[in-house]
Amino acid sequence: MNNRQPYVKACMDEIDRYRGGYFNERPWLRQAFGSVPREHFVPDRVWWPDRDADGLYPVLDRTADPERWLQAVYSPSAALITQIADGAVKPEDGPTDCGDFTSSISCAAVVVNMLHHLDPQSGETILEVGTGTGYNTALLAHRVGADRVVTVEIDPTTAEQAAANLHGLDRPAPTVVTGDGERGYPVRAPYDRLISTACVREIPAAWMEQVRAGGIIVTPIATPFGTDALAQLTADGTGHATGRLVTAVDFMFVRSQRAFRPWRELGWPRLPDFQVTAGPNGQEIRQH
Ligand SMILES: C[S@@+](CC[C@H](N)C(=O)[O-])C[C@H]1O[C@@H](n2cnc3c(N)ncnc32)[C@H](O)[C@@H]1O
């Protein structure tokens, strides 16, 4: 294995520079990021998320080019694609443009951003939806303890690999459940925090039902603005939650919510709903 430390440090320095000091506000997060080896969760062959000149997503191969692979693992703003078209295309098949991305290791900066907003406290219980590689799960376990984290992944092969990744670390492993995370995991409810690393159009009712009063839900939610947003909500313990959209993110959808639905059906205000005033002294954009 190449020396990972320079890559880890460069990645953390970069996140420090452009992510508003999240590590400084959350010392546990800096500690967790430095301690959990991200490369342990990345398959030897993954797709890079940007197309090459030939229009295809290239494959990064750890064996063929270990330096480039490791650099990509610690590239702060790149998600590495681990599955396309629900597994119909394999990284072994080589570069491709066939199908949508369906699983990844989320980019490091976004992982930090989301965990900053989730802000789990030591000893709290957490439900994670969308295990993927298990990397985010391991960071959560580092914070609250493996026995307090449950993660649900809908894709059986992905779930199995994530469990193997987590068990392969030299530390206790959280529970990985194969199932539909939109239903939560009632067996261990209520949870103090719930984080989804897959995007929703509509927040599943089970999530509000399974988070305690005052507990926090953090999830990407689709918006009409051409990007997803991160919703940070506080549950009231009676099946409702209220909160804000706190930052822009970009995620793949939970399986049952891939299809477009009209925004008004999803509770969005009629657009345009913002008033823009512009002049020589600048501009102001306000909600109606
Ligand atoms: C962006 S990836 C998760 C990345 C992961 N946090 C990581 O960094 O490795 C989203 C994952 O959500 C999973 N997923 C999609 N719909 C789901 C559902 N209804 N329940 C549970 N997992 C789901 C996908 O299979 C995929 O593995």
Side-chain angles (χ1 to χ4, degrees), residues 199-203 219-231 233 243-248 253 257 260-274 287:
C199 187
V200 294
R201 297 184 190 277
E202 185 165 26
I203 300 170
T219 182
I221 187 168
T223 77
F225 298 108
T227 181
D228 307 325
L230 191 68
L233 312 174
R244 314 177 79 91
L245 305 183
V246 289
T247 188
F253 283 105
Q257 299 197 33
F260 178 79
R261 283 175 61 190
W263 297 109
R264 296 195 69 178
E265 222 178 70
L266 296 164
W268 283 91
R270 190 176 52 87
L271 293 180
D273 198 44
F274 294 91
Q287 244 180 318

Side-chain angles (χ1 to χ4, degrees), residues 25 49 62 65 75 91-92 106 118 124 144 151 159 178 185 194 221 238 252 266 270:
E25 288 175 31
R62 185 182 202 169
D65 194 343
S75 169
E92 293 70 35
S106 303
L118 185 71
E124 287 187 333
V144 301
T151 181
T178 304
Y185 188 62
L194 185 154
I221 187 168
T238 72
M252 41 196 79
L266 296 164
R270 190 176 52 87

Side-chain angles (χ1 to χ4, degrees), residues 1 7 20 29 63 75 110 126 149 156 219 222 226 241 258-259 262-263 282 286:
M1 165 60 72
Y7 293 104
L29 192 48
T63 310
S75 169
V110 169
I126 304 175
V149 178
T219 182
R258 285 175 180 165
W263 297 109
R286 291 206 296 177

Side-chain angles (χ1 to χ4, degrees), residues 9-269:
K9 182 175 181 319
C11 183
M12 292 175 79
D13 287 352
E14 182 81 19
I15 291 172
D16 265 336
R17 270 197 295 280
Y18 70 76
R19 284 289 176 188
Y22 287 167
F23 280 142
N24 289 338
E25 288 175 31
R26 308 270 190 266
W28 70 265
L29 192 48
R30 182 186 292 280
Q31 223 265 326
F33 193 91
S35 159
V36 176
R38 183 170 161 85
E39 66 276 20
H40 173 79
F41 293 87
V42 180
D44 288 353
R45 287 167 72 89
V46 287
W47 289 280
W48 182 249
D50 297 326
R51 292 174 195 270
D52 263 349
D54 59 5
L56 305 178
Y57 297 105
V59 170
L60 303 173
D61 188 325
R62 185 182 202 169
T63 310
D65 194 343
E67 203 74 37
R68 185 162 175 234
W69 179 90
L70 191 58
Q71 191 178 32
V73 169
Y74 283 100
S75 169
S77 45
L80 301 180
I81 308 308
T82 54
Q83 191 192 66
I84 291 182
D86 294 325
V89 187
K90 308 272 180 234
E92 293 70 35
D93 301 335
T96 187
D97 67 345
C98 296
D100 294 329
F101 300 158
T102 49
S103 195
S104 68
I105 180 161
S106 303
C107 79
V110 169
V111 168
V112 169
N113 195 352
M114 288 177 76
L115 290 178
H116 163 89
H117 287 292
L118 185 71
D119 195 22
Q121 302 299 302
S122 185
E124 287 187 333
T125 55
I126 304 175
L127 175 63
E128 180 191 46
V129 174
T131 317
T133 63
Y135 173 62
N136 196 61
T137 324
L139 293 171
L140 293 169
H142 187 275
R143 171 60 167 164
V144 301
D147 56 337
R148 293 170 181 274
V149 178
V150 184
T151 181
V152 185
E153 167 60 51
I154 201 164
D155 184 81
T157 311
T158 304
E160 194 181 323
Q161 183 59 54
N165 292 343
L166 289 161
H167 282 281
L169 271 190
D170 188 18
R171 53 184 83 186
T175 305
V176 179
V177 176
T178 304
D180 184 352
E182 287 193 64
R183 298 185 187 157
Y185 188 62
V187 179
R188 300 254 300 254
Y191 302 94
D192 296 307
R193 317 254 159 175
L194 185 154
I195 181 169
S196 175
T197 63
C199 187
V200 294
R201 297 184 190 277
E202 185 165 26
I203 300 170
W207 296 2
M208 275 73 80
E209 287 159 10
Q210 293 176 28
V211 174
R212 68 160 168 85
I216 303 294
I217 298 171
V218 165
T219 182
I221 187 168
T223 77
F225 298 108
T227 181
D228 307 325
L230 191 68
Q232 183 197 48
L233 312 174
T234 303
D236 73 354
T238 72
H240 302 86
T242 315
R244 314 177 79 91
L245 305 183
V246 289
T247 188
V249 287
D250 188 14
F251 269 84
M252 41 196 79
F253 283 105
V254 292
R255 274 201 186 168
S256 81
Q257 299 197 33
R258 285 175 180 165
F260 178 79
R261 283 175 61 190
W263 297 109
R264 296 195 69 178
E265 222 178 70
L266 296 164
W268 283 91

